[in-house]
């Protein structure tokens, strides 16, 4: 690929991740469907299975989901340069918005219109997170063990309020052991 071709894909990556960062409210989980639509469906930069694996890997890495996911997806697209460009692209809109809000919020914090807007955004964010879970679950090769693992994780977090980090570590170990046991059974 020529230098001009490399520059174009890097610029397209920056614009794509900037747009993802600009139009995603609610954090990394709400970002997943938008990122999937852009990098998997529209641009075909990453295959669906690879994206799903990347989302899963993101859950095991400390830090913000949005940044971690953009870095890993960017790396899958264009290596280290892609990781840097996607991280900058996805975080720049938030940084700009936070600066603008910091300068204006003290003057507008009491406005009922602003409070109503935030109230309206919350259900949309919840819907995006549910959509991401459903979309990602379609690419999982479900078995009874994985269904039980998912249900157990949901109950542990939702009912018993167990820290999600512990659930992720336990699920990682159990999933690895299950996969290894399945691999040994195959001829």
């Amino acid at each position: 690929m020529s230098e001009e071709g490399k520059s174009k894909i890097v610029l397209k990556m920056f614009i794509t991740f900037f747009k993802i960062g600009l139009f995603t409210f609610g954090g990394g989980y709400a970002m997943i469907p938008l990122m999937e639509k852009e990098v998997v469906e529209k641009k075909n930069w990453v295959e669906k299975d690879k994206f799903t694996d990347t989302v899963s890997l993101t859950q095991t890495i400390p830090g913000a989901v949005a940044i971690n996911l953009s870095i890993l997806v960017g790396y899958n697209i264009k290596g280290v340069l892609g990781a840097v460009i996607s991280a900058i692209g996805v975080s720049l809109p938030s940084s700009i918005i936070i600066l603008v809000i910091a300068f204006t919020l003290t003057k507008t914090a009491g406005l009922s219109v602003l409070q109503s807007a935030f109230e309206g955004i919350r259900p949309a964010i919840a819907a995006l997170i549910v959509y991401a879970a459903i979309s990602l679950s379609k690419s999982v090769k479900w078995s009874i063990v994985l269904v039980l693992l998912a249900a157990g994780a949901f109950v542990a977090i939702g009912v018993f309020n167990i820290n999600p980090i512990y659930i992720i570590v336990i699920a990682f170990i159990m999933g690895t052991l299950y996969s290894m046991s399945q691999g040994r059974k195959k001829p």
Side-chain angles (χ1 to χ4, degrees):
M1 182 180 282
S2 69
E3 280 301 314
E4 184 178 333
K6 289 178 186 177
S7 297
K8 283 184 180 180
I9 192 160
V10 168
L11 179 61
K12 286 180 183 179
M13 283 180 65
F14 177 80
I15 291 168
T16 299
F17 282 91
F18 186 89
K19 182 172 70 171
I20 291 167
L22 186 62
F23 293 108
T24 302
F25 295 94
Y29 295 107
M31 179 181 287
I32 293 170
L34 184 56
M35 192 176 297
E36 179 181 10
K37 184 172 279 311
E38 287 295 321
V39 302
V40 175
E41 296 172 16
K42 286 185 179 178
K43 305 280 193 295
N44 293 314
W45 285 338
V46 178
E47 293 177 10
K48 173 79 171 172
D49 288 344
K50 182 74 169 176
F51 182 79
T52 302
D53 291 345
T54 302
V55 170
S56 298
L57 180 60
T58 300
Q59 303 307 307
T60 66
I61 301 171
V65 171
I67 297 298
N68 290 345
L69 183 59
S70 66
I71 288 170
L72 291 173
V73 169
Y75 184 81
N76 286 332
I77 298 168
K78 199 76 177 136
V80 173
L81 179 60
V84 171
I85 292 298
S86 61
I88 292 169
V90 83
S91 62
L92 192 58
S94 299
S95 300
I96 293 168
I97 291 169
I98 288 169
L99 287 173
V100 170
I101 289 173
F103 286 122
T104 61
L105 190 59
T106 55
K107 297 174 186 167
T108 61
L111 290 178
S112 62
V113 171
L114 185 62
Q115 292 172 351
S116 296
F118 287 130
E119 287 293 322
I121 289 172
R122 286 185 187 130
I125 291 167
L128 284 171
I129 293 169
V130 169
Y131 173 80
I134 292 169
S135 176
L136 292 173
S137 71
K138 290 178 182 177
S139 64
V140 173
K141 294 173 179 76
W142 290 100
S143 68
I144 189 69
V145 172
L146 294 180
V147 169
L148 291 173
L149 187 60
F154 184 79
V155 169
I157 294 168
V159 176
F160 297 108
N161 203 25
I162 296 175
N163 189 321
I165 293 170
Y166 300 133
I167 303 304
I168 291 168
V169 170
I170 291 167
F172 177 79
I173 292 167
M174 291 177 71
T176 301
L177 293 173
Y178 174 73
S179 289
M180 289 170 61
S181 72
Q182 294 302 304
R184 289 187 194 133
K185 291 180 182 179
K186 294 179 183 176

